[in-house]
Amino acid sequence: MTSPARPRPVLLTVDDDPQVSRAVARDLRRRFGEDCRIVRASSGVEALEALRELKLRGEPVAVVLADYRMPQMNGIEFLEQAMDLFPRARRALLTAYADTDAAIAAINLVDVDAYLLKPWDPPEEKLYPVLDSMLDAWRASPAAAAEDVKLVGHRWSPASFRARDLLARNAVPYRWFSVEEPEGQRLLEAAGATTDDVPVVVTPDGQVLRAPADAELAAVVGLTVDPREEFYDLVVVGGGPAGLGAAVYGASEGLRTVLVEREATGGQAGQSSRIENYLGFPDGVSGGQLADRARRQAGKFGAELLLTRDVVALEAHGPKRVLRFADGSTIAAHAVVLATGVSYRSLGVDGADQLTGRGVYYGSALTEAASCAGQDVYIVGGANSAGQAAVFFARHARSVTLLVRGPSLEASMSHYLIEQIAQIPPITVRTCTTVAQTHGTDHLESLTLRHEQTGEEETVPANHLFVFIGGAPRTGWLDGVVERDERGFIRTGPGLLADGDRPRGWALERDPWFLESSLPGVFVAGDVRADSVKRVASAVGEGAMAVTLVHRYLGES
């Protein structure tokens, strides 16, 4: 029995001017009509209705092209709502020359991929190349191959949460079915599985995975998990802002570059609902959008991205630097950039470990937003990541309580974010307050809070606790290979020259360069580096700087 042919991707165009609408559709059909279905609408409302119908029918939408000046709903407002229905569709704004400022705002506000000026004649020069690039980017994304992935799980199952989080953070679209709902039970029965097997994944071609490992799940939904080569010029370990910056600059400058990430690109920044102090984005940008752009940019230059691969050892074999994965396989390169970032520290109170993934979450866990509707949410932490999460969850929850150990937010949070939080009624900030204990059987049910100055305790009902405390570097696997400080952060450059002496075992005649570790040819960028500035912009800058030093190192080899 042959499987039915997958529907052609849709190119949707919306413009209230009938003449322009017909012209756009005509030009699109002439070039893309054989491979794509062209759908046009005369208003934002009509276009949203068309998108909802396409969503129900399971038809993929590849590109949405919207006019800026439309009554009732302009192009930016339309694209904001279209993103909710088809987040992986590429978006373009059609503008007149006088509206270029609006187009630039759209790039920041709704992550528009391109804007096109009217008139676009000749389309061979001004329209088709832009649409070709957008279609290529859509086809290259895992979404194109995994649009109908179904995930069946239990709301309070840590393994189910991890599977959802892995797919969401890697921008893989999926449909979630709870085992508590009839449709979830029907899917389990059809797959020959039971509730003991969750999470259960059903692929578009009918393949069934029961409680898959991360790498198995990543491979089946189209993510890359195996390297194409055995030897590279540069291996980047870690896919946060520093690692992505190194991958973009390394590949763009001609180095055979591969980036290895154990979970998802973006790191902690990738989980941020809104970054508002990053240069060039005056209206802010979500961490997921920033990571997606950087990921596509790295791929454009030819960098490989390996996901769900855990590096467990670094070895030096003469001029080669060899990285060993958890499964025993290896990858080698002339040079390495370590950009593994930091992970949030454990809450460390009674009950928290048992309830992780069952109401206690580390990081934003944006997949839990819908289940927070009408609930009381608690967030532990006083830095920017905690503040950004509070702003995000305030859109969904009945109340958000920010628990801060210190006497104020001023010492750890940006001023703009403090002012923003003060203007959002659902958010309450409780200073000098910590979590003393978590309570619950199969999921979080309540918290015991302690006031640090008075010692008084109170127990409050809670189903959702998000933890953002401190940052612990993941560097235990580097023990005895590179020098680290007492907290595990990697020393580099001047930090290695204690009393003017070079690191033990350093064989080169020169001193270590600024971002170079105690092992020549191994560089460090971002939060994992000792004495680094914990900001997205500085991490990206260090990633770029590390590549410059890699070139210098390769030149002396």
Side-chain angles (χ1 to χ4, degrees):
M1 179 177 175
T2 59
S3 60
R6 293 185 64 81
R8 292 181 298 166
V10 170
L11 307 186
L12 174 72
T13 172
V14 51
D15 198 303
D16 67 308
D17 186 325
Q19 184 176 353
V20 174
S21 180
R22 285 193 297 269
V24 173
R26 178 199 65 220
D27 287 341
L28 292 180
R29 286 194 185 96
R30 190 168 62 191
R31 174 64 175 268
F32 305 104
E34 289 188 9
D35 300 320
C36 303
R37 190 159 81 86
I38 313 303
V39 176
R40 67 186 181 101
S42 59
S43 69
V45 173
E46 181 183 328
L48 287 174
E49 291 177 357
L51 287 174
R52 292 188 187 100
E53 186 175 343
L54 292 167
K55 188 77 172 180
L56 287 173
R57 293 206 302 257
E59 294 192 49
V61 175
V63 175
V64 178
L65 176 60
D67 183 48
Y68 171 63
R69 288 186 179 271
M70 293 188 294
Q72 297 179 320
M73 180 187 300
N74 66 34
I76 298 176
E77 294 166 337
F78 161 69
L79 289 175
E80 278 192 281
Q81 297 189 46
M83 287 171 63
D84 295 332
L85 291 167
F86 288 94
R88 298 296 296 161
R90 302 305 168 186
R91 299 170 284 274
L93 197 67
L94 192 62
T95 68
Y97 182 78
D99 297 326
T100 51
D101 287 344
I104 294 172
I107 290 174
N108 294 321
L109 187 62
V110 295
D111 198 28
V112 167
D113 295 276
Y115 67 91
L116 298 164
L117 291 177
K118 301 178 186 178
W120 59 87
D121 289 331
E124 291 78 9
E125 295 181 11
K126 299 183 178 180
L127 177 65
Y128 296 156
V130 175
L131 269 294
D132 282 335
S133 176
M134 295 170 73
L135 279 168
D136 287 343
W138 179 80
R139 291 189 180 105
S141 70
E147 202 143 13
D148 296 320
V149 168
K150 298 177 179 66
L151 177 61
V152 187
H154 192 285
R155 178 185 177 188
W156 301 119
S157 158
S160 297
F161 165 73
R162 182 168 178 82
R164 293 176 68 189
D165 192 54
L166 177 69
L167 294 177
R169 291 181 60 197
N170 283 294
V172 177
Y174 66 94
R175 294 187 64 190
W176 163 257
F177 299 90
S178 172
V179 296
E180 299 171 331
E181 300 170 354
E183 184 66 11
Q185 287 291 335
R186 188 193 68 78
L187 281 171
L188 283 182
E189 183 178 353
T194 70
T195 54
D196 293 333
D197 297 321
V198 297
V200 173
V201 177
V202 183
T203 67
D205 60 1
Q207 184 179 354
V208 176
L209 284 74
R210 296 173 176 83
D214 288 354
E216 185 182 8
L217 176 57
V220 82
V221 299
L223 301 176
T224 303
V225 297
D226 295 313
R228 291 197 296 262
E229 303 179 32
E230 295 181 356
F231 193 84
Y232 294 83
D233 295 319
L234 173 63
V235 175
V236 181
V237 185
L244 287 168
V248 167
Y249 280 92
S252 68
E253 294 175 12
L255 297 178
R256 289 174 300 161
T257 302
V258 60
L259 182 148
V260 182
E261 166 58 43
R262 70 197 300 265
E263 293 177 351
T265 53
Q268 286 188 3
Q271 299 183 66
S272 174
S273 58
R274 204 82 183 158
I275 302 170
E276 298 193 63
N277 58 352
Y278 187 64
L279 184 67
F281 292 88
D283 295 305
V285 61
S286 76
Q289 290 171 343
L290 193 63
D292 178 59
R293 288 185 172 200
R295 179 172 55 239
R296 285 191 278 134
Q297 194 173 15
K300 167 189 170 183
F301 290 121
E304 288 183 48
L305 273 66
L306 305 184
L307 298 172
T308 66
R309 297 305 301 264
D310 198 6
V311 180
V312 297
L314 169 63
E315 303 165 3
H317 295 263
K320 288 198 307 183
R321 301 294 175 256
V322 178
L323 293 160
R324 189 172 301 279
F325 297 129
D327 64 0
S329 61
T330 61
I331 192 172
H334 291 299
V336 173
V337 172
L338 300 175
T340 50
V342 296
S343 57
Y344 293 114
R345 288 205 303 268
S346 171
L347 192 60
V349 301
D350 288 345
D353 289 345
Q354 293 80 2
L355 295 173
T356 298
R358 297 175 175 174
V360 177
Y361 306 97
Y362 290 87
S364 293
L366 301 183
T367 54
E368 291 299 304
S371 63
C372 291
Q375 302 289 316
D376 298 317
V377 169
Y378 289 82
I379 296 175
V380 180
N384 280 8
S385 54
Q388 290 159 354
V391 172
F392 172 77
F393 283 110
R395 304 174 198 162
H396 305 271
R398 176 173 57 195
S399 71
V400 176
T401 303
L402 196 58
L403 306 174
V404 184
R405 178 186 292 272
S408 71
L409 292 171
E410 277 72 11
S412 54
M413 189 177 292
S414 295
H415 178 69
Y416 83 88
L417 198 50
I418 296 174
E419 289 190 329
Q420 194 175 112
I421 287 172
Q423 301 301 315
I424 301 176
I427 300 179
T428 300
V429 179
R430 294 184 57 167
T431 57
C432 302
T433 304
T434 59
V435 176
Q437 195 170 355
T438 62
H439 310 277
T441 51
D442 65 334
H443 68 277
L444 179 67
E445 297 173 0
S446 62
L447 301 170
T448 296
L449 307 181
R450 176 185 296 131
H451 192 280
E452 290 296 289
Q453 293 180 339
T454 65
E456 295 181 357
E457 293 186 351
E458 64 172 311
T459 299
V460 297
N463 292 136
H464 293 87
L465 175 69
F466 299 93
V467 182
F468 299 84
I469 52 174
R474 296 170 172 167
T475 58
W477 59 282
L478 292 166
D479 189 26
V481 180
V482 297
E483 285 193 20
R484 299 174 295 154
D485 66 14
E486 63 281 358
R487 295 181 299 162
F489 292 92
I490 305 172
R491 290 192 172 100
T492 61
L496 292 167
L497 303 176
D499 301 323
D501 294 330
R502 291 172 179 163
R504 181 182 303 174
W506 184 266
L508 301 182
E509 295 183 0
R510 61 169 176 82
D511 290 342
W513 290 317
F514 181 63
L515 299 180
E516 195 168 21
S517 73
S518 58
L519 178 60
V522 175
F523 301 86
V524 189
D527 290 359
V528 73
R529 189 176 68 83
D531 301 322
S532 65
V533 178
K534 306 299 188 281
R535 287 289 184 270
V536 175
S538 60
V540 173
E542 287 192 6
M545 185 190 301
V547 171
T548 299
L549 298 177
V550 166
H551 277 292
R552 189 185 300 178
Y553 171 77
L554 296 178
E556 70 175 8
S557 299

